[in-house]
């Protein structure tokens, strides 16, 4: 125990020395004041890095749904889905999510992390062609940690392809054993680089090499496509994907994760995934709010349009001010800083001197030298707020660093 405690101390000292020690910023979200939060002393902070992309977390429809469900069903689920945790609202929400993605079935998990970890590890630990022929999994180099955890928790042979590099992916597919089961795991919107996968082209390769496809849409559901079904819906390729995974904790403003797909595949995961079977189900109050949110967002086309207009407006302001914006084709707006300590300093000064907050993104979330601030403007961020932000950043970030970028 003493040796382990010393290891912990050394590791933490090293993280501090590198300027990437993570501290929590105490901020209280306000349903009636978003995107402003409150500090412990009661002062307001304008938050620029929340994943409540559409500001649905404090929407009156969701708040009312939570209150009504809590009065009816209480706070907790009372157990796993297999024991005592299934409610009609769980079934209704799974059906709504399946319809959102044009799939036969859906399955709820307690978080997006758990849905990826549980679904991928369960699929990849199966042996559709017998124990002598494990899965070959092809994973994008910038996949989320939850996908990596699911893949590493399996017995699959792992092939990592360069980010969004179709040529590299095809080379790996071509080199894999022809008869082995294959799965391509990737995301639609990559939240740190703010770029988007060529989903249709990946599906083409999957068809050619008889590979299953697993798409993480957590940073796209609710926002992209005519009904908020994600980039796969926007691009008209959702029907070509075997499993679409998403979250209720971002654009839908709630909590939880899910998968959608063929009914038998989803039922197999429901019946065999330890990450589903042995954990208490999503609280009915959360499922009730999420159901209301998904139904509302699916038909609120103006809300989605406002999100993308606001993102474009902030990008234009950053560019006009000469701020080192990382090129982005999505709603996420990253700003390159390039040093862990400086990234943390810029974030702290933005908070302490200007009353605004943007999370510093440091290694290992991004490679060393790629440290950045990540901005997620939403429908409630006004032009005046953006002007205040740009003025603050130009005051904090040295001119020579802006020029160098």
């Amino acid at each position: 125990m003493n040796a382990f405690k010393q290891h912990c101390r050394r590791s933490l000292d090293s993280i501090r020395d590198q300027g990437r020690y993570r501290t929590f910023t105490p901020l209280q979200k306000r349903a009636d004041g978003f995107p402003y939060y409150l500090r412990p002393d009661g002062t307001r902070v304008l938050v620029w890095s929340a994943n409540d992309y559409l500001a649905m977390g404090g929407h009156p429809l969701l708040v009312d749904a939570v209150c009504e469900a809590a009065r009816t069903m209480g706070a907790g689920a009372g157990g796993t889905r297999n024991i005592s945790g299934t409610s009609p609202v769980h079934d209704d929400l799974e059906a709504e999510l399946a319809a959102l993605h044009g799939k036969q079935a859906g399955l709820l998990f307690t978080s997006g992390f758990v849905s990826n970890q549980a679904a991928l590890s369960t699929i990849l630990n199966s042996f559709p062609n017998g124990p002598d022929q494990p899965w070959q999994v092809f994973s994008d180099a910038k996949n989320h940690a939850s996908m990596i955890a699911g893949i590493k928790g399996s017995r699959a042979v792992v092939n990592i392809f360069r980010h969004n590099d179709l040529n590299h992916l095809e080379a790996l597919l071509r080199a894999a054993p022809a008869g082995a089961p294959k799965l391509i795991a990737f995301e639609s919107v990559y939240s740190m680089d703010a770029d988007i996968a060529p989903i249709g082209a990946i599906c083409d390769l999957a068809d050619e090499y008889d590979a299953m496809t697993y798409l993480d849409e957590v940073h796209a559901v609710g926002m992209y496509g005519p009904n908020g079904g994600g980039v796969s819906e926007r691009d008209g390729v959702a029907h070509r994907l075997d499993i679409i995974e998403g979250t209720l904790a971002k654009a839908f403003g709630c909590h939880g994760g899910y998968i959608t797909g063929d009914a038998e595949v989803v039922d197999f995961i429901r019946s065999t995934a330890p990450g589903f079977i042995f954990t208490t189900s999503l609280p009915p109050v959360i499922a009730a709010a999420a159901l209301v949110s998904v139904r509302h967002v699916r038909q609120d086309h103006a809300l989605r349009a406002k999100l993308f207009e606001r993102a474009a407006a902030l990008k234009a302001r950053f560019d006009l001010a000469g701020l080192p914006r990382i090129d982005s084709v999505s709603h996420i707006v990253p700003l390159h800083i390039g040093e862990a300590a400086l990234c943390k300093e810029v974030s702290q000064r933005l908070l302490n001197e200007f009353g605004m907050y943007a999370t510093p993104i440091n290694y290992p979330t991004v490679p060393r030298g790629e440290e950045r601030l990540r901005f997620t403007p939403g429908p409630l961020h006004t032009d005046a707020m953006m002007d205040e932000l740009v003025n603050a950043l130009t005051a904090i970030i040295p001119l020579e660093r802006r020029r160098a970028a």
Side-chain angles (χ1 to χ4, degrees):
M1 180 63 180
N2 285 335
F4 177 64
K5 288 171 67 175
Q6 291 172 4
H7 168 74
C8 292
R9 188 178 302 114
R10 289 193 302 269
S11 297
L12 290 169
D13 287 344
S14 175
I15 292 171
R16 291 188 183 95
D17 290 343
Q18 295 172 49
R20 57 184 186 91
Y21 182 75
R22 301 177 185 221
T23 57
F24 296 138
T25 302
L27 294 171
Q28 178 179 304
K29 189 179 183 183
R30 300 288 298 176
D32 59 353
F34 189 84
Y36 285 102
Y37 287 47
L38 291 183
R39 300 188 79 173
D41 63 4
T43 57
R44 293 199 312 170
V45 172
L46 177 57
V47 172
W48 286 97
S49 55
N51 285 339
D52 189 356
Y53 292 133
L54 297 176
M56 288 298 297
H59 196 289
L61 286 173
L62 274 65
V63 174
D64 290 345
V66 166
C67 293
E68 182 179 350
R71 284 189 290 266
T72 303
M73 295 178 279
T80 69
R81 294 282 290 276
N82 294 301
I83 295 175
S84 61
T86 288
S87 165
V89 74
H90 290 110
D91 296 332
D92 291 346
L93 179 54
E94 287 172 340
E96 188 74 26
L97 292 167
L100 174 67
H101 295 292
K103 299 300 181 186
Q104 294 178 348
L107 185 65
L108 292 171
F109 292 85
T110 50
S111 74
F113 192 106
V114 174
S115 58
N116 272 334
Q117 184 179 39
L120 281 167
S121 63
T122 299
I123 293 168
L124 297 173
N125 277 324
S126 67
F127 292 98
N129 292 0
D132 295 330
Q133 201 164 52
W135 283 86
Q136 297 275 332
V137 60
F138 303 85
S139 176
D140 188 286
K142 292 193 175 181
N143 274 343
H144 189 264
S146 57
M147 301 178 78
I148 296 170
I151 291 168
K152 284 186 173 181
S154 77
R155 288 165 284 187
V157 177
V158 181
N159 304 270
I160 299 174
F161 63 93
R162 290 186 292 270
H163 178 53
N164 281 347
D165 189 330
L166 295 172
N167 291 330
H168 191 212
L169 172 58
E170 182 169 19
L172 292 173
L173 286 164
R174 190 186 304 114
K182 302 176 182 66
L183 182 144
I184 305 172
F186 62 110
E187 302 180 39
S188 58
V189 175
Y190 288 84
S191 65
M192 292 301 118
D193 286 356
D195 56 352
I196 294 177
I199 301 175
I202 291 176
C203 288
D204 291 341
L205 290 175
D207 290 344
E208 182 177 351
Y209 291 92
D210 191 26
M212 185 174 172
T213 48
Y214 184 105
L215 176 66
D216 177 319
E217 286 261 38
V218 297
H219 290 279
V221 290
M223 296 170 282
Y224 294 76
N227 301 291
V231 177
S232 57
E233 186 197 25
R234 184 198 71 177
D235 294 352
V237 295
H239 65 285
R240 302 182 64 190
L241 294 151
D242 293 295
I243 291 183
I244 297 177
E245 183 267 353
T247 184
L248 303 167
K250 293 181 171 62
F252 295 125
C254 294
H255 187 76
Y258 65 88
I259 61 166
T260 63
D262 179 86
E264 288 186 336
V265 172
V266 171
D267 196 21
F268 169 75
I269 295 169
R270 182 191 68 84
S271 301
T272 60
F276 173 82
I277 295 171
F278 298 107
T279 189
T280 299
S281 67
L282 206 63
V285 293
I286 300 301
L291 179 59
V292 168
S293 183
V294 175
R295 286 174 173 170
H296 175 82
V297 168
R298 287 184 70 181
Q299 54 81 35
D300 195 341
H301 311 298
L303 186 62
R304 281 190 290 281
K306 185 66 173 178
L307 169 76
F308 290 107
E309 184 276 327
R310 292 288 76 196
L314 185 62
K315 292 175 187 178
R317 280 170 167 78
F318 278 5
D319 292 345
L320 187 62
L323 290 164
R325 180 175 70 86
I326 298 172
D327 191 35
S328 162
V329 295
S330 71
H331 62 285
I332 299 167
V333 186
L335 193 67
H336 183 263
I337 303 299
E339 296 176 15
L342 182 60
C343 192
K344 184 175 181 181
E345 178 189 345
V346 172
S347 177
Q348 283 297 311
R349 288 190 61 190
L350 193 63
L351 176 63
N352 296 330
E353 298 175 25
F354 298 94
M356 287 179 272
Y357 182 68
T359 309
I361 307 296
N362 291 332
Y363 176 84
T365 306
V366 295
R368 288 185 175 90
E370 295 298 323
E371 291 82 1
R372 64 198 62 181
L373 298 179
R374 178 179 172 273
F375 297 88
T376 54
L380 301 184
H381 286 100
T382 65
D383 287 344
M385 292 175 183
M386 292 184 183
D387 291 339
E388 291 176 17
L389 174 63
V390 169
N391 290 337
L393 289 169
T394 53
I396 295 171
I397 299 176
L399 181 61
E400 60 273 14
R401 183 168 291 275
R402 282 181 269 146
R403 285 173 174 165

